[in-house]
Amino acid sequence: MTTSGFDVRPTAHPTDTAIRDEILGNSGFGRYFSDHMAHIRWTADDGWHGHEVRPYGPLTLDPAAAVLHYAQEIFEGIKAYRHADGSVWTFRPEKNAARFRASARRLALPELGDDDFIGSLKALVAQDNAWVPTPASAAEETSLYLRPFMIASEKFLGVRPSKEVDYYVIASPAAAYFKGGVKPVSIWLSSNYKRAAPGGTGYAKCGGNYAASLAAQKEAEAHGCDQVAFLDAVENKWVEELGGMNLFFVYRDGRIVTPKLTGTILEGVTRDSIMQLARDEGLTPEERHISIDEWRDGAASGEISEVFACGTAAVVTPIGELVGEEERIRLAADNGGEIGKRLRTKLLDLQYGRCEDTHGWLTRLA
Ligand code: COI
C-alpha cells in the first residue's frame, strides 16, 4: 500500500480502541504516541529515499551515531485538527517546511522539500486518522501534535556533517500545553543563563537550543514559575523569547509588539499568524526591540495591558506574572486579557474550520 509516495507497513499490534479513546479523552501534552511513524532516509550518495510509514517504536542507533555526540538534530511542531465534518487539516505547513529547511542549513543537515515534508504528514495522518481527537466543543482544544525531526545517524566520531541522516514524524494526541489549561502563567526572568547569541543557532529549531534552556527552566520551576524568559546575550537588556514560545505585548492604545527577529529568536508560525490576525482586527502589530525596562515600566503604569506567549503547542497563553531575583510584577487580571483571548479564539476558530479561511492557511491532510 502507498500513501503520498510512502510505503505503508501497518502495525500488527494496533492500540486497542477502548485504550485509544481513553488516551484521547485525557491526553495531556506529549505523553502518548500514535501507532505509526513516517520515515525517510538520506545518504550523501543517494539523497532522500526509502519513504515509509511503519509501526511506531524504538529506533536502532549505533552508539557512535553523530546525533548522540554532536547534537546534529532539528525538529518541528505542527498540529492536525479535526473539523466538524470529520476531515483533518493542518495549519500553514509550508511555513514549517521552510523553517525546517532553514534549521537544516544552520545545522549542516540536508534540506527536505515541501512535497516530502507535507507528504510525510499526510501519509502518517492517513494511517493514524483515528488518533486525531474530535473536540467535544469549541472550548476543548484537542489535536494531534505532529513532531517531524531529523537526526545525524552516521557512525563516525569525527566532527563534520553526517553523511547519513534519518527524518521521522511521530504523532502525539494533545490537549493544552500547560497543566492548568488556559490560565495566566508565571514567568521567571533568567539572569544566569542565555538561550542564544548572535551568529549562533537561536533562529533554528534544534534540540540544542532547548537543551540550553533547561537549566533556566529548572531555575524557573524552583521559583514557582511555569516558564523562563530570556534576554539578549550582548546587552542583557532586550526581551527575546521564552524557553519554547514567542512573546507579545499589548498596549492600551492598540499597538501589539513582539520582539524583532534578529537571528537569536525562533521565527514562530503562530507569531506570524497572530500579527496578521491582529492586523485583521484593526490592531497595529509592531516588530521591534523591547527592553526589560519597557516591560517593567509598562506593566507598572498600565501602558502595557496584556502580555502573552504563543506557539504551536501553547497557542496563545496569557502571562500573569514576571518574577526576577528581586521583583515580582503582576501583569494581568486573573482571566488574562481580552485582546489575547480574542486573538486566541480567532486562531482556533480558523484552525478548527469554524470560520472562513480568508488567508488560505489550511491544508487538508485526510
Ligand atoms: C511548539 O510549540 O510546537 C514547540 O515546539 C514548543 C515546545 C513544545 C518545544
Side-chain angles (χ1 to χ4, degrees):
M1 191 169 71
T2 303
T3 311
S4 302
F6 285 69
D7 284 334
V8 180
R9 189 155 53 82
T11 177
H13 308 284
T15 305
D16 183 79
T17 308
I19 293 174
R20 188 183 62 221
D21 287 347
E22 205 179 306
I23 291 171
L24 295 187
N26 184 26
S27 62
F29 182 89
R31 291 190 294 154
Y32 301 100
F33 296 89
S34 71
D35 284 331
H36 297 87
M37 58 191 187
H39 172 226
I40 317 177
R41 173 125 178 104
W42 179 91
T43 55
D45 288 340
D46 296 330
W48 291 109
H49 59 276
H51 301 53
E52 60 172 356
V53 171
R54 69 184 208 210
Y56 181 94
L59 306 179
T60 302
L61 270 185
D62 193 282
V67 65
L68 300 176
H69 303 271
Y70 310 125
Q72 199 189 2
E73 186 269 356
I74 56 172
F75 68 95
E76 271 302 322
I78 184 166
K79 284 173 170 172
Y81 308 90
R82 188 173 307 280
H83 287 192
D85 66 358
S87 58
V88 180
W89 300 74
T90 195
F91 186 71
R92 307 186 77 184
E94 59 297 327
K95 294 280 283 181
N96 293 80
R99 185 172 66 185
F100 201 51
R101 284 192 292 275
S103 301
R105 286 191 292 274
R106 182 63 186 84
L107 273 288
L109 283 161
E111 295 182 40
L112 189 72
D114 275 13
D115 284 353
D116 278 343
F117 184 88
I118 298 172
S120 66
L121 309 182
K122 284 186 175 160
L124 180 58
V125 169
Q127 188 62 23
D128 281 343
N129 191 324
W131 284 88
V132 183
T134 303
S137 71
E140 200 183 280
E141 57 175 80
T142 49
S143 61
L144 186 64
Y145 183 82
L146 303 170
R147 171 53 64 88
F149 65 100
M150 196 190 286
I151 55 172
S153 45
E154 185 183 352
K155 173 185 177 181
F156 180 60
L157 290 184
V159 183
R160 60 145 172 78
S162 181
K163 292 181 181 170
E164 293 172 33
V165 166
D166 287 278
Y167 165 78
Y168 297 91
V169 190
I170 53 174
S172 177
Y177 183 74
F178 290 102
K179 269 205 291 293
V182 191
K183 57 175 205 227
V185 294
S186 53
I187 301 297
W188 171 251
L189 180 64
S190 176
S191 36
N192 289 329
Y193 299 106
K194 297 294 171 214
R195 176 186 170 276
T201 58
Y203 70 89
K205 205 162 174 66
C206 62
N209 290 341
Y210 295 78
S213 78
L214 294 178
Q217 176 66 24
K218 226 168 118 179
E219 206 177 70
E221 285 164 20
H223 287 86
C225 294
D226 300 292
Q227 266 281 320
V228 55
F230 291 99
L231 298 181
D232 77 286
V234 177
E235 295 181 72
N236 193 36
K237 172 177 177 182
W238 308 110
V239 180
E240 297 216 310
E241 65 175 275
L242 304 185
M245 293 149 214
N246 293 120
L247 276 168
F248 274 94
F249 299 83
V250 181
Y251 287 70
R252 240 186 343 213
D253 61 8
R255 283 175 298 142
I256 148 163
V257 180
T258 191
K260 183 177 159 174
L261 302 174
T262 53
T264 52
I265 294 178
L266 191 82
E267 194 172 339
V269 177
T270 311
R271 174 188 179 278
D272 184 77
S273 309
I274 291 287
M275 282 198 290
Q276 182 57 51
L277 296 178
R279 228 170 270 126
D280 296 350
E281 295 269 305
L283 300 164
T284 313
E286 288 178 9
E287 290 179 83
R288 64 167 169 84
H289 285 311
I290 172 160
S291 70
I292 188 63
D293 287 340
E294 184 175 346
W295 183 348
R296 280 192 189 106
D297 296 347
S301 68
E303 181 77 8
I304 294 177
S305 50
E306 299 173 31
V307 183
F308 61 80
C310 71
T312 299
V315 192
V316 170
T317 299
I319 291 173
E321 211 172 28
L322 176 69
V323 183
E325 292 288 356
E326 287 169 13
E327 62 190 335
R328 185 171 283 267
I329 305 169
R330 276 200 70 73
L331 286 160
D334 285 345
N335 68 347
E338 286 311 313
I339 303 281
K341 216 186 288 174
R342 217 160 80 203
L343 292 168
R344 175 189 175 81
T345 302
K346 192 82 215 277
L347 181 65
L348 289 171
D349 281 351
L350 234 161
Q351 292 170 331
Y352 285 94
R354 295 189 290 258
C355 67
E356 199 191 336
D357 177 20
T358 49
H359 298 293
W361 282 346
L362 297 185
T363 292
R364 185 161 182 176
L365 291 179

